Amino acid sequence: MKQEMIIVLDFGGQYNQLIARRVRECGVYCEVLSYQTPIEELIAKAPKGIILTGGPNSVYDETSPHYDKALFETGIPILGICYGAQLMAYSTGGKVETATTSEYGKTDVKVICNNSLLFGGVENETVVWMSHTDMITELGSGFVVTAHTDKCPVAAMENAEKKLYAVQYHPEVTHSIKGQQMLSNFVYDVCGCKGDWKMADFTRNTIEEIKKRVGDGKVLCALSGGVDSSVAAVLLSKAVGKKLTCVFVDHGLLRKNEAEEVERIFGDEGEYDLNFVHVKSSERFYEKLAGVSEPEAKRKIIGEEFIRVFEEEAKKIGAVDYLVQGTIYPDVIESGLGKSAVIKSHHNVGGLPDYVDFKEIIEPLHMLFKDEVRAVGLELGLPEQLVYRQPFPGPGLGVRIIGEVNAEKVKIVQDADAIMREEFAKAGLDKKVNQYFAALTNMRSVGVMGDFRTYDYAIALRAVTTSDFMTAEAAEIPWKTLQLIMNRIVNEVEHVNRVFYDLTSKPPGTIEME
Ligand code: XMP
């Protein structure tokens, strides 16, 4: 039986992939297509329903993205959201005008239709997320108003007979308290879906698609050991096996045992049958970094050297047909209106290498959010440790060592960081704190160890809670845990005689310490 599908028709709003993700959370497969997709193509996909997204335009403006009015006569259930709602009104004979004041943020809405399928299980008064200036002022024929707010007379409308539904607000964002319920109502009660989609299907289908696409082609992947590139590499290896070469550049700035871990999973002894190239290039990086202490200069050196190493390896392999990138949806910078996305560099320290001879890019995760990528990783049998790895900067420990970087300092920060991570895991803090690590300050001070005076470094511990990584607070760590970590670090890590805890929030600080 054909898999159920909902199509999200993209009119350039910022939450388009989020809508798709919410539908997938309902257990129904969902794809985002541009509003420029011809109607025949849309119908040929036989979707169970279509969702029209928000967008920055005004429907009454001739140059705004519109859609063939015949769409509303196909009998396919449609849900219009924000701009999509206005487009539905406009295309079915209603009217849209600019409101005198915009409505933005959490808004009380009154549901005035008790038997609307869209509002099953939703209270008559609920809170939704609004973001609009234009509003529907006249309904198309056959429509009724199903909800309103103080300022917006048509917060929701429907023509149940034709299965056309529209909401002015954004059910897909969590601020809309019953938003997910409404989307689920649309998917199940209006479109009649049964919910036949699981992450396992995504994994299986993606592997099949890649197999077909690649054929006998050669594929190259830059593997950083991070979640995204690892999951992308495994998908590719399951699809094309030895036609894939994974290049892992070890810049000598990875966390303790990290390179060995990546080698264990992806190397010859691992379970994936791919050509794994482990480029051990620490010395090269340390040489370039010698004598450099300015943070941006260090970042630049690491980024550039990374690309040079990758290029050299690519040259050895010769021309390839495909280059794999672990781009995920939040990396995709939307240029709006469903136009193509700007591609993130394969490793977040620089751009694409100048010299890699390839024809096309494969980005198997480009429509997924981080937690969905993690679900795929678990599905593929990647170890939890890797799947739930913390964010790690591209320049690695290079930006966790303040001042000049050298092999000795790398060892110090690796050992201290490993202790901190171990103790956080023991105390159950690893699941509560979003990012934590040890950094090496460039400060040395006098101490005593046994009968000796020491003149050694200070380690700074950093632990933050954050939801978006744009702002962050220092996490409240139990004193006992801090003491334990301090004790172990000064005793077990050579050349450290002091430990600090960084209390700074972001802003004015950043998460990393350099
Ligand atoms: P900040 O310190 O800017 O870090 O609050 C936020 C997140 O970004 C990561 N980060 C970097 N990633 N190159 C990267 O690719 C960098 O130079 C860099 N600096 C910070 C960091 O891991 C944190 O999660």
mmCIF file of all heavy atoms in Angstrom, residues 369-389:
data_model
loop_
_atom_site.group_PDB
_atom_site.id
_atom_site.type_symbol
_atom_site.label_atom_id
_atom_site.label_comp_id
_atom_site.label_asym_id
_atom_site.label_seq_id
_atom_site.Cartn_x
_atom_site.Cartn_y
_atom_site.Cartn_z
ATOM 1 N N PHE A 369 15.551 17.902 11.845
ATOM 2 C CA PHE A 369 16.036 18.679 12.977
ATOM 3 C C PHE A 369 16.984 17.789 13.784
ATOM 4 O O PHE A 369 16.978 16.576 13.631
ATOM 5 C CB PHE A 369 14.856 19.125 13.840
ATOM 6 C CG PHE A 369 14.079 20.250 13.211
ATOM 7 C CD1 PHE A 369 13.151 19.997 12.223
ATOM 8 C CD2 PHE A 369 14.308 21.562 13.587
ATOM 9 C CE1 PHE A 369 12.441 21.036 11.628
ATOM 10 C CE2 PHE A 369 13.617 22.600 13.002
ATOM 11 C CZ PHE A 369 12.683 22.342 12.016
ATOM 12 N N LYS A 370 17.759 18.438 14.646
ATOM 13 C CA LYS A 370 18.794 17.699 15.392
ATOM 14 C C LYS A 370 18.251 16.441 16.081
ATOM 15 O O LYS A 370 18.854 15.376 15.992
ATOM 16 C CB LYS A 370 19.408 18.625 16.439
ATOM 17 C CG LYS A 370 20.710 18.125 16.998
ATOM 18 C CD LYS A 370 21.826 18.396 16.030
ATOM 19 C CE LYS A 370 23.184 18.100 16.571
ATOM 20 N NZ LYS A 370 24.214 18.593 15.626
ATOM 21 N N ASP A 371 17.149 16.579 16.774
ATOM 22 C CA ASP A 371 16.679 15.398 17.506
ATOM 23 C C ASP A 371 16.193 14.310 16.558
ATOM 24 O O ASP A 371 16.235 13.126 16.876
ATOM 25 C CB ASP A 371 15.622 15.753 18.555
ATOM 26 C CG ASP A 371 14.468 16.509 17.976
ATOM 27 O OD1 ASP A 371 14.632 17.132 16.907
ATOM 28 O OD2 ASP A 371 13.384 16.482 18.581
ATOM 29 N N GLU A 372 15.747 14.692 15.365
ATOM 30 C CA GLU A 372 15.362 13.676 14.380
ATOM 31 C C GLU A 372 16.616 12.972 13.840
ATOM 32 O O GLU A 372 16.610 11.770 13.602
ATOM 33 C CB GLU A 372 14.582 14.318 13.229
ATOM 34 C CG GLU A 372 13.219 14.863 13.663
ATOM 35 C CD GLU A 372 12.444 15.488 12.507
ATOM 36 O OE1 GLU A 372 12.976 16.407 11.855
ATOM 37 O OE2 GLU A 372 11.327 15.057 12.240
ATOM 38 N N VAL A 373 17.695 13.757 13.668
ATOM 39 C CA VAL A 373 18.955 13.166 13.214
ATOM 40 C C VAL A 373 19.435 12.153 14.266
ATOM 41 O O VAL A 373 19.887 11.054 13.945
ATOM 42 C CB VAL A 373 20.039 14.246 12.999
ATOM 43 C CG1 VAL A 373 21.391 13.621 12.684
ATOM 44 C CG2 VAL A 373 19.622 15.195 11.888
ATOM 45 N N ARG A 374 19.268 12.521 15.526
ATOM 46 C CA ARG A 374 19.679 11.604 16.597
ATOM 47 C C ARG A 374 18.847 10.318 16.529
ATOM 48 O O ARG A 374 19.382 9.217 16.706
ATOM 49 C CB ARG A 374 19.511 12.271 17.962
ATOM 50 C CG ARG A 374 20.484 13.412 18.148
ATOM 51 C CD ARG A 374 20.679 13.754 19.625
ATOM 52 N NE ARG A 374 21.901 14.513 19.768
ATOM 53 C CZ ARG A 374 21.954 15.795 20.137
ATOM 54 N NH1 ARG A 374 20.859 16.439 20.441
ATOM 55 N NH2 ARG A 374 23.111 16.414 20.223
ATOM 56 N N ALA A 375 17.541 10.477 16.276
ATOM 57 C CA ALA A 375 16.679 9.294 16.188
ATOM 58 C C ALA A 375 17.150 8.383 15.049
ATOM 59 O O ALA A 375 17.187 7.161 15.196
ATOM 60 C CB ALA A 375 15.221 9.705 15.985
ATOM 61 N N VAL A 376 17.537 8.979 13.919
ATOM 62 C CA VAL A 376 18.043 8.186 12.794
ATOM 63 C C VAL A 376 19.345 7.489 13.206
ATOM 64 O O VAL A 376 19.548 6.303 12.925
ATOM 65 C CB VAL A 376 18.298 9.065 11.537
ATOM 66 C CG1 VAL A 376 18.940 8.251 10.423
ATOM 67 C CG2 VAL A 376 16.998 9.671 11.043
ATOM 68 N N GLY A 377 20.201 8.212 13.912
ATOM 69 C CA GLY A 377 21.470 7.646 14.376
ATOM 70 C C GLY A 377 21.239 6.410 15.240
ATOM 71 O O GLY A 377 21.887 5.380 15.055
ATOM 72 N N LEU A 378 20.284 6.497 16.167
ATOM 73 C CA LEU A 378 19.992 5.354 17.037
ATOM 74 C C LEU A 378 19.431 4.210 16.205
ATOM 75 O O LEU A 378 19.781 3.043 16.380
ATOM 76 C CB LEU A 378 18.986 5.754 18.126
ATOM 77 C CG LEU A 378 19.498 6.746 19.176
ATOM 78 C CD1 LEU A 378 18.393 7.077 20.163
ATOM 79 C CD2 LEU A 378 20.714 6.197 19.924
ATOM 80 N N GLU A 379 18.545 4.564 15.284
ATOM 81 C CA GLU A 379 17.946 3.599 14.366
ATOM 82 C C GLU A 379 19.026 2.819 13.597
ATOM 83 O O GLU A 379 18.903 1.630 13.335
ATOM 84 C CB GLU A 379 17.105 4.442 13.379
ATOM 85 C CG GLU A 379 16.313 3.700 12.372
ATOM 86 C CD GLU A 379 15.194 2.931 13.021
ATOM 87 O OE1 GLU A 379 14.528 3.512 13.890
ATOM 88 O OE2 GLU A 379 15.027 1.769 12.649
ATOM 89 N N LEU A 380 20.092 3.529 13.244
ATOM 90 C CA LEU A 380 21.173 2.914 12.471
ATOM 91 C C LEU A 380 22.167 2.176 13.362
ATOM 92 O O LEU A 380 23.166 1.649 12.895
ATOM 93 C CB LEU A 380 21.923 3.991 11.675
ATOM 94 C CG LEU A 380 21.165 4.607 10.496
ATOM 95 C CD1 LEU A 380 21.852 5.879 10.032
ATOM 96 C CD2 LEU A 380 21.048 3.624 9.350
ATOM 97 N N GLY A 381 21.908 2.220 14.657
ATOM 98 C CA GLY A 381 22.755 1.470 15.585
ATOM 99 C C GLY A 381 24.030 2.178 16.012
ATOM 100 O O GLY A 381 24.944 1.554 16.532
ATOM 101 N N LEU A 382 24.094 3.500 15.803
ATOM 102 C CA LEU A 382 25.274 4.229 16.281
ATOM 103 C C LEU A 382 25.243 4.287 17.812
ATOM 104 O O LEU A 382 24.172 4.388 18.401
ATOM 105 C CB LEU A 382 25.293 5.645 15.712
ATOM 106 C CG LEU A 382 25.845 5.771 14.300
ATOM 107 C CD1 LEU A 382 25.558 7.154 13.734
ATOM 108 C CD2 LEU A 382 27.353 5.521 14.284
ATOM 109 N N PRO A 383 26.401 4.230 18.477
ATOM 110 C CA PRO A 383 26.396 4.249 19.940
ATOM 111 C C PRO A 383 25.802 5.552 20.496
ATOM 112 O O PRO A 383 25.989 6.620 19.919
ATOM 113 C CB PRO A 383 27.878 4.156 20.306
ATOM 114 C CG PRO A 383 28.642 4.179 19.051
ATOM 115 C CD PRO A 383 27.730 4.109 17.893
ATOM 116 N N GLU A 384 25.092 5.417 21.624
ATOM 117 C CA GLU A 384 24.425 6.577 22.232
ATOM 118 C C GLU A 384 25.392 7.712 22.517
ATOM 119 O O GLU A 384 25.075 8.878 22.351
ATOM 120 C CB GLU A 384 23.752 6.170 23.540
ATOM 121 C CG GLU A 384 22.466 5.447 23.308
ATOM 122 C CD GLU A 384 21.574 5.447 24.528
ATOM 123 O OE1 GLU A 384 21.800 6.247 25.452
ATOM 124 O OE2 GLU A 384 20.638 4.626 24.539
ATOM 125 N N GLN A 385 26.568 7.323 22.939
ATOM 126 C CA GLN A 385 27.612 8.298 23.247
ATOM 127 C C GLN A 385 27.846 9.255 22.077
ATOM 128 O O GLN A 385 28.023 10.438 22.256
ATOM 129 C CB GLN A 385 28.890 7.514 23.401
ATOM 130 C CG GLN A 385 29.692 7.714 24.599
ATOM 131 C CD GLN A 385 30.748 6.620 24.552
ATOM 132 O OE1 GLN A 385 30.420 5.454 24.297
ATOM 133 N NE2 GLN A 385 31.989 7.002 24.754
ATOM 134 N N LEU A 386 27.878 8.684 20.889
ATOM 135 C CA LEU A 386 28.113 9.510 19.701
ATOM 136 C C LEU A 386 26.847 10.286 19.335
ATOM 137 O O LEU A 386 26.886 11.469 19.024
ATOM 138 C CB LEU A 386 28.536 8.612 18.541
ATOM 139 C CG LEU A 386 29.157 9.308 17.338
ATOM 140 C CD1 LEU A 386 30.041 8.330 16.589
ATOM 141 C CD2 LEU A 386 28.148 9.894 16.389
ATOM 142 N N VAL A 387 25.721 9.601 19.434
ATOM 143 C CA VAL A 387 24.455 10.208 19.032
ATOM 144 C C VAL A 387 24.106 11.416 19.916
ATOM 145 O O VAL A 387 23.568 12.405 19.448
ATOM 146 C CB VAL A 387 23.339 9.136 19.058
ATOM 147 C CG1 VAL A 387 21.969 9.770 18.956
ATOM 148 C CG2 VAL A 387 23.543 8.125 17.937
ATOM 149 N N TYR A 388 24.409 11.322 21.201
ATOM 150 C CA TYR A 388 24.070 12.428 22.107
ATOM 151 C C TYR A 388 25.270 13.318 22.411
ATOM 152 O O TYR A 388 25.312 14.003 23.424
ATOM 153 C CB TYR A 388 23.450 11.886 23.404
ATOM 154 C CG TYR A 388 22.082 11.329 23.143
ATOM 155 C CD1 TYR A 388 21.851 9.964 23.098
ATOM 156 C CD2 TYR A 388 21.013 12.182 22.869
ATOM 157 C CE1 TYR A 388 20.600 9.454 22.809
ATOM 158 C CE2 TYR A 388 19.763 11.686 22.586
ATOM 159 C CZ TYR A 388 19.564 10.320 22.557
ATOM 160 O OH TYR A 388 18.321 9.840 22.262
ATOM 161 N N ARG A 389 26.246 13.284 21.540
ATOM 162 C CA ARG A 389 27.439 14.089 21.746
ATOM 163 C C ARG A 389 27.101 15.570 21.886
ATOM 164 O O ARG A 389 26.209 16.076 21.208
ATOM 165 C CB ARG A 389 28.349 13.890 20.530
ATOM 166 C CG ARG A 389 29.800 13.871 20.856
ATOM 167 C CD ARG A 389 30.591 13.690 19.581
ATOM 168 N NE ARG A 389 30.774 14.968 18.926
ATOM 169 C CZ ARG A 389 31.909 15.348 18.351
ATOM 170 N NH1 ARG A 389 32.933 14.536 18.332
ATOM 171 N NH2 ARG A 389 32.012 16.521 17.778
#
